[in-house]
Amino acid sequence: FNDQEKISEPKLTSKEKVMAKVDNTTSTLITDLSYSFSDLSGNNYELFSDYGEIDTNNSDKILMTNVSAIIYLKNSSPIKISSKYAHYNKSNHETNFFEKIVLSHLIHKATSENLDISFSDNLASMYNNIIYKKTGTQLNADRLEIDLITKNTRIFMNNESEKIKIIDNK
């Protein structure tokens, strides 16, 4: 996830593409949902789900089911994400994935129960039962954070007295 090139903080431009069908009975259930946007630095984010349910108290918030996402960072290979559910905010693109998350990038793969993506903070944060794998190595930790600008990654425990479990499969 590491790339030496530093990119200035991006400004977001939203380009939403909603390809969906609204359930005429409730007017809150959407099938085959798709959102995408780009920032001024050339990074792109695409989000797809089989179903989306609009929050009746806040129409910007959607609970998505069977979710996949792709983050295309400038000068980097795509980061792919899948999960059972996600909360998505249409106004700021903040996304909270939960249950059976898989994040992959090149030879890196991480699984967890939660993943939050904040484009205002340029941070992806995984937590709860993290298992990170790359060829020959497995790490078990509490938290994994990826800076979406620098692509620097940190893996750590919430309690500093606990240690990350490293399994060498070579």
Side-chain angles (χ1 to χ4, degrees), residues 142-156:
D142 289 338
R143 197 165 200 82
L144 180 145
E145 293 181 347
I146 304 167
D147 183 310
L148 297 176
I149 301 296
T150 65
K151 299 160 196 105
N152 290 333
T153 303
R154 291 182 39 204
I155 299 174
F156 56 96

Side-chain angles (χ1 to χ4, degrees), residues 101 110-114 126-132 139-143:
I101 290 109
T111 60
S112 72
E113 291 301 313
N114 298 89
M126 289 186 89
Y127 52 99
N128 290 333
N129 302 318
I130 292 177
I131 299 172
Y132 165 83
L139 301 176
N140 296 9
D142 289 338
R143 197 165 200 82

Side-chain angles (χ1 to χ4, degrees), residues 102-118:
V102 177
L103 180 143
S104 59
H105 178 263
L106 299 173
I107 63 168
H108 308 275
K109 181 178 178 180
T111 60
S112 72
E113 291 301 313
N114 298 89
L115 169 64
D116 298 336
I117 297 180
S118 171

Side-chain angles (χ1 to χ4, degrees), residues 50-153:
D50 290 345
Y51 304 98
E53 185 174 346
I54 298 170
D55 184 334
T56 56
N57 296 321
N58 182 345
S59 62
D60 283 339
K61 293 184 180 180
I62 299 174
L63 171 61
M64 303 174 113
T65 303
N66 299 331
V67 185
S68 62
I70 304 174
I71 302 173
Y72 299 96
L73 297 175
K74 189 174 179 179
N75 301 319
S76 180
S77 297
I79 297 171
K80 298 177 183 178
I81 302 165
S82 66
S83 72
K84 182 71 177 164
Y85 303 105
H87 286 125
Y88 175 69
N89 186 319
K90 295 188 307 183
S91 64
N92 61 15
H93 311 289
E94 305 294 303
T95 311
N96 308 102
F97 298 89
F98 55 101
E99 209 170 303
K100 299 180 182 175
I101 290 109
V102 177
L103 180 143
S104 59
H105 178 263
L106 299 173
I107 63 168
H108 308 275
K109 181 178 178 180
T111 60
S112 72
E113 291 301 313
N114 298 89
L115 169 64
D116 298 336
I117 297 180
S118 171
F119 292 99
S120 60
D121 295 330
N122 295 306
L123 185 67
S125 181
M126 289 186 89
Y127 52 99
N128 290 333
N129 302 318
I130 292 177
I131 299 172
Y132 165 83
K133 294 180 181 180
K134 87 173 201 182
T135 308
T137 304
Q138 176 178 313
L139 301 176
N140 296 9
D142 289 338
R143 197 165 200 82
L144 180 145
E145 293 181 347
I146 304 167
D147 183 310
L148 297 176
I149 301 296
T150 65
K151 299 160 196 105
N152 290 333
T153 303

Side-chain angles (χ1 to χ4, degrees), residues 6-49:
K6 301 262 183 198
I7 300 171
S8 62
E9 186 171 321
K11 303 250 190 278
L12 299 179
T13 58
S14 179
K15 184 171 78 173
E16 286 186 8
K17 177 181 163 189
V18 180
M19 298 173 58
K21 301 171 194 160
V22 177
D23 181 337
N24 292 330
T25 312
T26 64
S27 298
T28 61
L29 185 63
I30 304 169
T31 59
D32 300 322
L33 187 59
S34 169
Y35 284 98
S36 66
F37 80 93
S38 301
D39 65 24
L40 296 177
S41 296
N43 300 313
N44 298 298
Y45 180 60
E46 295 178 351
L47 184 64
F48 310 94
S49 73

